[in-house]
Amino acid sequence: MSEITANQSKLDLVNVQGLKKYFPVRAGIMQRVVAQVQAVDDVSFIVRKGETLGMVGESGCGKTTIGRTMLRLIEPTAGSVIYDGRDVFKLKSAELKAARRDLQIIFQDPYASLDPRVPIGESVMEGLHIHNIGASKERVDVMMDTLKRVGLEHYHARRYPHEFSGGQRQRIGIARALALRPKFIVCDEPVSALDVSIQSQVLNILKDLQSEFGLTYLFIAHNLSVVEHISDRVAVMYLGKMVELAGRDEIYRDPKHPYTQALMSAIPVPDPKMKRKRTILKGDVPSPLHPPSGCRFHPRCPIAVEMCSQKEPEFREIKPNHWVACWLAE
């Protein structure tokens, strides 16, 4: 990915290079490390200013781990995340605290991420307290303004998390991330647990806020229709590896990797008279404890050849701004 990084350096907001996150498996009385779960293995990509980069893939492919590791909520095994000319992984505590004002996250489960003993107004203002932003009245004004922007009322500030619906709690999560006026937000499956009607409301809020504040999103999701609606580019993950990256229209119209093609074939067609040709994958996703040699997708790939099991494919640009890790992509 070095070429894409060099070509797009002026547009970069976040530059991820060689990101790895392995989780140790311990056993025995001495709890020695006997294996490593390769949750994320050598992933590189950029997120451009003002865009939404969608990230999709099956459960366990490493999407959430990437988002949390980028913000150092989880410490990395290797790699770098360059933001504002500095490597986030090398920042000291005071520098990291300052950087986190610009780098926020919306968690998948807003109820689990909110303190049940604290009114939601206090939760939204927590970041303002931590970063010592404004006087007490100014913080209240920012909190009230932020709640209004996500569709909540001023009297909601005195209520507790259990008094809200799932959609309202997700709005609270968005408000808490937005209160510090960040530049980059990791949206970790922010609508996956919501009803379809509520999903559209939350997505529209995210798009409106992006337009108003110039926000940049890494949008992690399972729902391919949602990703198509909100994303500018789409990255596809499989078993800790990025297998395809391209513009939204390009990847939905002409996916090149067999795994991406299988995912796209599962999108429902909103016309009962039309049928999409399905690509049914055989077998289960291999364990990240012992990933397959060569291309990690080859045991399930319908077009795999001998080379696929012997040598890992390079993540390469097969056409302008369309990157694929597959020997047979052309």
Side-chain angles (χ1 to χ4, degrees):
M1 288 275 294
S2 58
E3 294 180 9
I4 189 172
T5 326
N7 293 338
Q8 301 294 339
S9 59
K10 293 181 180 179
L11 302 176
D12 294 358
L13 181 69
V14 181
N15 185 331
V16 179
Q17 287 294 303
L19 182 62
K20 294 184 180 182
K21 178 57 188 177
Y22 296 171
F23 292 97
V25 177
R26 302 178 184 276
I29 298 176
M30 303 299 293
Q31 288 292 290
R32 292 174 177 168
V33 176
V34 296
Q36 298 276 358
V37 176
Q38 299 178 27
V40 178
D41 189 19
D42 197 17
V43 171
S44 300
F45 61 95
I46 62 171
V47 187
R48 299 168 186 163
K49 294 177 182 177
E51 79 163 351
T52 299
L53 175 63
M55 186 168 286
V56 300
E58 293 171 284
S59 295
C61 69
K63 305 185 301 297
T64 294
T65 303
I66 286 177
R68 296 191 176 204
T69 306
M70 286 174 66
L71 305 186
R72 272 184 72 180
L73 300 180
I74 302 173
E75 288 297 324
T77 300
S80 64
V81 173
I82 307 300
Y83 169 74
D84 196 22
R86 298 179 297 171
D87 187 349
V88 174
F89 296 161
K90 294 181 179 179
L91 297 180
K92 304 300 182 182
S93 57
E95 297 173 318
L96 180 60
K97 177 182 176 181
R100 280 184 171 153
R101 180 176 176 178
D102 292 338
L103 308 172
Q104 289 290 307
I105 184 169
I106 301 170
F107 292 100
Q108 179 179 358
D109 185 353
Y111 189 64
S113 64
L114 293 170
D115 189 336
R117 302 166 297 179
V118 175
I120 65 104
E122 291 294 327
S123 292
V124 172
M125 288 192 293
E126 183 179 10
L128 301 174
H129 287 296
I130 291 172
H131 291 276
N132 197 27
I133 298 172
S136 179
K137 185 180 182 304
E138 292 173 319
R139 293 170 186 170
V140 172
D141 290 342
V142 170
M143 180 266 292
M144 291 296 187
D145 177 65
T146 305
L147 289 180
K148 183 178 179 180
R149 291 179 186 277
V150 298
L152 296 174
E153 301 297 335
H154 63 88
Y155 56 81
H156 286 137
R158 298 186 297 273
R159 296 184 179 178
Y160 291 82
H162 72 274
E163 299 180 76
F164 295 92
S165 67
Q168 288 175 317
R169 284 198 289 262
Q170 197 57 276
R171 294 176 189 221
I172 295 166
I174 295 171
R176 188 170 59 171
L178 186 66
L180 290 170
R181 300 296 185 263
K183 296 178 181 177
F184 176 67
I185 300 179
V186 174
C187 305
D188 185 11
E189 301 193 34
V191 298
S192 61
L194 305 179
D195 293 336
V196 174
S197 59
I198 305 301
Q199 284 185 10
S200 62
Q201 294 175 18
V202 173
L203 290 174
N204 288 334
I205 287 172
L206 288 171
K207 293 188 77 172
D208 291 342
L209 293 172
Q210 183 177 40
S211 176
E212 183 174 356
F213 294 108
L215 299 173
T216 303
Y217 296 141
L218 174 64
F219 192 90
I220 298 167
H222 283 105
N223 191 321
L224 293 169
S225 298
V226 168
V227 172
E228 183 179 16
H229 173 71
I230 198 170
S231 300
D232 298 298
R233 292 186 300 144
V234 178
V236 182
M237 294 289 299
Y238 183 80
L239 202 61
K241 290 280 190 179
M242 188 173 289
V243 297
E244 190 160 3
L245 173 64
R248 174 194 59 195
D249 296 338
E250 173 79 10
I251 206 167
Y252 277 81
R253 183 184 69 251
D254 187 23
K256 294 298 185 182
H257 196 282
Y259 178 63
T260 311
Q261 293 168 0
L263 290 181
M264 298 304 173
S265 75
I267 302 175
V269 179
D271 186 343
K273 297 180 181 180
M274 294 180 62
K275 290 186 177 180
R276 191 189 299 272
K277 184 179 179 181
R278 287 294 311 275
T279 301
I280 307 298
L281 299 178
K282 298 179 180 179
D284 297 322
V285 180
S287 169
L289 268 173
H290 305 288
S293 60
C295 174
R296 295 189 175 187
F297 184 61
H298 86 263
R300 305 174 71 197
C301 181
I303 62 171
V305 296
E306 185 178 356
M307 180 171 60
C308 298
S309 63
Q310 297 175 349
K311 188 176 180 181
E312 183 177 337
E314 179 187 359
F315 195 62
R316 55 197 167 85
E317 189 176 21
I318 61 170
K319 60 170 68 173
N321 297 315
H322 195 147
W323 298 74
V324 183
C326 178
W327 293 117
L328 308 174
E330 287 84 356

